[in-house]
Amino acid sequence: MQVQVFIGNAGDGQTSKLQEIQDRLIATGQNTLIIQAGAYGEDGLLQILEVRAAGGQREILVDDCSRLQVLKVLEWRSSAEDDPNFDDLIIHLARQD
């Protein structure tokens, strides 16, 4: 599992890096929606990430993450290191300013 964290201007999902990634995924025929982290607590965000990964999504975009949400995702990545179901998973997180 790979986790990329965008901060500052790069972390503005409306106009920058997340939108570029989403456009690339759509161009390759992948349907992906940006998760709005503000709608979830830390554990809820982890649950939605697991659901998306179990459903076959290999790149997941998350906007407006709190510092604590980012830390929880990084902890989850560490705990899932030996799980082959997550080997090719990429999570892009845009952190709140």
Side-chain angles (χ1 to χ4, degrees):
M1 178 187 315
Q2 180 181 351
V3 176
Q4 295 182 340
V5 180
F6 304 109
I7 301 171
N9 291 337
D12 178 3
Q14 301 302 313
T15 60
S16 66
K17 200 66 177 169
L18 284 183
Q19 189 63 51
E20 291 173 23
I21 295 166
Q22 184 180 39
D23 291 345
R24 175 182 53 82
L25 292 172
I26 290 170
T28 61
Q30 299 176 54
N31 183 14
T32 184
L33 299 174
I34 296 175
I35 297 169
Q36 297 301 317
Y40 304 95
E42 294 81 31
D43 292 332
L45 180 58
L46 293 180
Q47 289 174 345
I48 194 69
L49 292 174
E50 287 179 355
V51 166
R52 293 256 184 118
Q57 193 171 342
R58 302 326 302 157
E59 278 194 73
I60 302 173
L61 310 174
V62 186
D63 193 19
D64 204 29
C65 294
S66 70
R67 183 176 177 277
L68 188 53
Q69 285 172 319
V70 170
L71 291 173
K72 286 288 194 176
V73 171
L74 294 173
E75 287 174 14
W76 176 56
R77 179 193 63 188
S78 294
S79 68
E81 235 173 30
D82 296 328
D83 189 338
N85 295 319
F86 299 119
D87 283 349
D88 59 346
L89 181 63
I90 302 171
I91 301 172
H92 305 277
L93 305 173
R95 201 177 117 192
Q96 299 169 342
D97 286 335

